[in-house]
Amino acid sequence: MDKEQAKYIADILKIIAVAQFGYSGYRSLQSPDHAVFYLSCVVFLLLSTIGVLIIGFGRDSK
């Protein structure tokens, strides 16, 4: 995987992380049970971390 592919995959993961946090996090704040909000925070951090790791694994193919 070259750097451009790694960056593309990391960007997709970032978009998914923000979307799930925006949807699940917001909806869970409207309910009396806030456990889903904390779970959504963990998923956001996990997806962001995976994206950073994928960028680190990207190599130039020459």
Side-chain angles (χ1 to χ4, degrees), residues 27-58:
R27 288 187 52 113
S28 68
L29 287 177
Q30 294 177 341
S31 72
D33 183 20
H34 296 302
V36 177
F37 175 76
Y38 298 118
L39 179 63
S40 183
C41 290
V42 170
V43 171
F44 176 81
L45 291 173
L46 182 65
L47 287 173
S48 298
T49 303
I50 291 172
V52 169
L53 289 174
I54 287 175
I55 287 177
F57 288 138

Side-chain angles (χ1 to χ4, degrees), residues 2 4 9-10 13-14 19 23-25 33 38 43 45 49 62:
D2 65 3
E4 289 300 316
I9 293 171
L13 283 174
K14 182 174 70 171
Y23 179 76
S24 299
D33 183 20
Y38 298 118
V43 171
L45 291 173
T49 303
K62 291 184 180 182

